[in-house]
Amino acid sequence: MHIVLFDLDGTALTFDGAPGPGRAAIDRAMDRVFGVSSSSSGVRFAGGTDRAIARALLRKAGAPEDEATVAELLDAYLQELEAILSERRYRPVGDVASVLAACRARGSIVGIGTGNVRAGAALKLRSAGLLELFDLDRGGYGCDAEARDAILRTAVTRCAQVATAATTVVVVGDTEHDVCAGRAIGARVVGVGTHGGARAELAAAGADAIVDTCGPALVEAIYGGGP
């Protein structure tokens, strides 16, 4: 049996225009709570986790990095994200629905391994019309831990509660951070590289396979040509 864990941003979800809804929301939150504008400029979000990004922005602004302040910022971020998503929506990367259906048809447990806090993941998935396709209880999130490998371990534990046999874990992601975290938990890692830069990064990190988008090729890559 396979446990297949999907990253969300850049893997299952994408958006049109810039900045992305998540970056715009955290910038608005920093401005509202701390009076700091354009706080995320120069900060990489791809492969990051919400708590780690929040802490980095607080540090950059010279604000406290304690748990209460991180929580305050993330609460404001979720409010701003919901407002932004009422006007701008995420969309699926390729045919996510068919990939999930194919994995489940093979008897796999489909889960989530994302740096988003759970509430943020739900907002983003709902905006892309994918929320009903995932079971949020089978996942690891940025509210569970800051390190991606710890997030993935949490996701595996939650998914394993419904496993009926020995499992192979497959992580599907779009950055080197997904690859490194997958390696840390002994998983097979399949990269979704929607542009040349992502493919090069995934290849350099040692992804087991890389595909262009979510579709039939991803399903084959997940199972390595096997059942």
Side-chain angles (χ1 to χ4, degrees):
M1 175 179 287
H2 284 67
I3 292 175
V4 186
L5 301 177
F6 285 84
D7 172 53
L8 296 183
D9 294 284
T11 301
L13 303 174
T14 189
F15 53 83
D16 297 311
R23 185 180 291 271
I26 199 73
D27 274 343
R28 287 189 188 181
M30 283 291 292
D31 191 16
R32 173 153 67 94
V33 178
F34 299 102
V36 179
S37 61
S38 301
S39 58
S40 71
S41 176
V43 176
R44 173 170 170 159
F45 279 35
T49 65
D50 280 355
R51 285 169 55 80
I53 291 169
R55 209 176 294 279
L57 297 182
L58 291 170
R59 185 181 310 119
K60 183 181 177 184
E65 299 174 43
D66 58 276
E67 291 303 312
T69 308
V70 170
E72 180 183 12
L73 175 57
L74 290 178
D75 284 345
Y77 156 73
L78 290 171
Q79 295 170 23
E80 297 294 347
L81 181 63
E82 185 170 20
I84 288 169
L85 292 180
S86 67
E87 301 175 356
R88 294 179 61 195
R89 303 181 69 86
Y90 282 86
R91 58 180 174 81
V93 174
D95 193 352
V96 175
S98 71
V99 172
L100 301 184
C103 289
R104 292 184 172 118
R106 295 189 183 218
S108 298
I109 298 170
V110 173
I112 297 171
T114 179
N116 287 281
V117 295
R118 177 168 169 155
L123 287 171
K124 291 180 179 183
L125 286 168
R126 181 180 293 113
S127 78
L130 297 176
L131 182 59
E132 301 304 319
L133 300 183
F134 285 95
D135 181 348
L136 294 184
D137 289 335
R138 299 179 183 179
Y141 303 93
C143 44
D144 296 315
E146 287 189 36
R148 291 197 76 94
D149 59 333
I151 290 170
L152 292 180
R153 287 191 178 94
T154 298
V156 170
T157 297
R158 289 171 177 159
C159 289
Q161 292 174 354
V162 294
T164 58
T167 56
T168 296
V169 179
V170 182
V171 172
V172 183
D174 69 308
T175 74
E176 61 184 349
H177 303 290
D178 298 295
V179 179
C180 292
R183 288 282 177 266
I185 68 166
R188 174 177 171 81
V189 183
V190 178
V192 178
T194 55
H195 56 85
R199 291 187 68 90
E201 178 177 310
L202 290 163
D208 292 292
I210 304 171
V211 300
D212 292 332
T213 190
C214 294
L218 175 55
V219 177
E220 291 304 309
I222 287 171
Y223 297 97

